[in-house]
Amino acid sequence: MCVLCGELITSIHWSEGVQDESKEIIVGEKQRERARQRLQKVRIANLILRFYGLELKDWNTSQFILSDKKGRGGIVHHLGELWEKASSLTSKEINVLDSNLLVFLQKHYG
């Protein structure tokens, strides 16, 4: 159980890329690798989210916090719900193939 939020965390979402069939959280090296992978996914998601004025942060390697520049935000339980939650925080339509987004990505990260 997470001591900060009291949430019982017994399994993880498929988007975490867990290789073992049980999908249970495993303490040790696999947990450290999972945390590194989560942070990398947050960095990549933020490349796109910045175009929409949003930011994603990892929270205790169990959930994510998504927020906009006005301070509005919410919890994203797993990356499977990220784009739906992001759509609710921005007035722009989220489309990862939007030509303006692709120009933004090329300009800032290309």
Side-chain angles (χ1 to χ4, degrees), residues 1-10 59-60 62-63 75 77:
M1 182 171 299
C2 171
V3 294
L4 296 176
C5 60
E7 180 178 349
L8 183 61
I9 303 167
T10 58
W59 182 31
N60 202 31
S62 64
Q63 296 177 356
I75 294 174
H77 297 285

Coordinates of all heavy atoms in Angstrom, one line a residue, residues 1-10 59-60 62-63 75 77:
M1 N 0.8 -1.2 0.0 CA 0.0 0.0 0.0 C 0.9 1.2 0.0 O 1.9 1.3 0.7 CB -0.9 0.0 1.2 CG -1.8 1.2 1.3 SD -3.1 1.1 2.5 CE -4.0 -0.3 2.1
C2 N 0.5 2.2 -0.8 CA 1.3 3.5 -0.8 C 1.0 4.2 0.4 O -0.1 4.5 0.8 CB 0.8 4.3 -2.1 SG 1.5 5.9 -2.1
V3 N 2.1 4.6 1.1 CA 1.9 5.3 2.4 C 1.4 6.7 2.3 O 0.8 7.3 3.2 CB 3.2 5.3 3.2 CG1 3.6 3.9 3.6 CG2 4.3 6.0 2.5
L4 N 1.6 7.3 1.1 CA 1.1 8.7 0.9 C -0.4 8.8 0.6 O -1.1 9.7 1.1 CB 1.9 9.4 -0.2 CG 3.4 9.6 0.1 CD1 4.1 10.1 -1.2 CD2 3.6 10.5 1.3
C5 N -0.8 7.9 -0.3 CA -2.2 8.0 -0.7 C -3.1 6.9 -0.2 O -4.3 6.9 -0.4 CB -2.3 8.1 -2.2 SG -1.7 6.7 -3.1
G6 N -2.5 5.9 0.4 CA -3.3 4.8 1.0 C -3.9 3.8 -0.1 O -4.8 3.1 0.1
E7 N -3.3 3.9 -1.3 CA -3.8 3.1 -2.4 C -3.1 1.8 -2.5 O -1.9 1.7 -2.4 CB -3.6 3.9 -3.8 CG -4.1 3.1 -4.9 CD -3.9 3.9 -6.2 OE1 -3.6 5.0 -6.2 OE2 -4.1 3.2 -7.3
L8 N -3.9 0.8 -2.6 CA -3.4 -0.6 -2.8 C -2.9 -0.8 -4.2 O -3.8 -0.7 -5.1 CB -4.4 -1.6 -2.3 CG -3.9 -3.1 -2.4 CD1 -2.8 -3.3 -1.4 CD2 -5.1 -4.0 -2.0
I9 N -1.7 -1.0 -4.4 CA -1.1 -1.2 -5.8 C -0.7 -2.6 -5.9 O 0.3 -3.0 -5.4 CB 0.0 -0.2 -6.1 CG1 -0.4 1.2 -5.8 CG2 0.6 -0.4 -7.5 CD1 0.7 2.2 -5.8
T10 N -1.4 -3.4 -6.7 CA -1.1 -4.8 -6.8 C -0.7 -5.2 -8.2 O -0.2 -6.2 -8.5 CB -2.3 -5.7 -6.3 OG1 -3.4 -5.4 -7.1 CG2 -2.5 -5.5 -4.9
W59 N 4.2 10.1 -10.6 CA 3.9 10.3 -9.2 C 4.1 8.9 -8.5 O 3.3 8.0 -8.7 CB 2.4 10.7 -9.0 CG 2.1 10.9 -7.5 CD1 2.9 11.3 -6.5 CD2 0.8 10.8 -7.0 NE1 2.1 11.4 -5.4 CE2 0.8 11.1 -5.6 CE3 -0.5 10.4 -7.5 CZ2 -0.3 11.0 -4.8 CZ3 -1.6 10.4 -6.7 CH2 -1.4 10.7 -5.3
N60 N 5.2 8.8 -7.8 CA 5.5 7.6 -7.0 C 5.5 6.3 -7.8 O 5.2 5.3 -7.2 CB 4.4 7.6 -5.8 CG 4.9 6.8 -4.7 OD1 6.1 6.7 -4.4 ND2 4.0 6.1 -4.0
S62 N 3.5 5.0 -9.6 CA 2.3 4.3 -9.6 C 1.2 5.0 -10.5 O 0.3 4.3 -11.0 CB 1.7 4.1 -8.2 OG 1.4 5.3 -7.6
Q63 N 1.3 6.3 -10.6 CA 0.3 7.1 -11.3 C 1.0 8.3 -11.9 O 2.2 8.4 -11.7 CB -0.8 7.5 -10.4 CG -1.6 6.4 -9.9 CD -2.7 6.8 -8.9 OE1 -2.9 8.0 -8.6 NE2 -3.5 5.9 -8.5
I75 N -5.2 13.2 -12.0 CA -4.5 12.0 -11.9 C -4.7 11.2 -13.2 O -5.9 11.0 -13.6 CB -4.8 11.2 -10.7 CG1 -4.4 12.0 -9.4 CG2 -4.2 9.8 -10.7 CD1 -4.9 11.3 -8.1
H77 N -4.2 7.4 -14.2 CA -3.8 6.1 -13.6 C -2.8 5.3 -14.4 O -2.0 4.6 -13.8 CB -5.1 5.3 -13.3 CG -6.0 6.0 -12.4 ND1 -5.7 6.1 -11.0 CD2 -7.1 6.7 -12.6 CE1 -6.7 6.8 -10.4 NE2 -7.6 7.2 -11.4

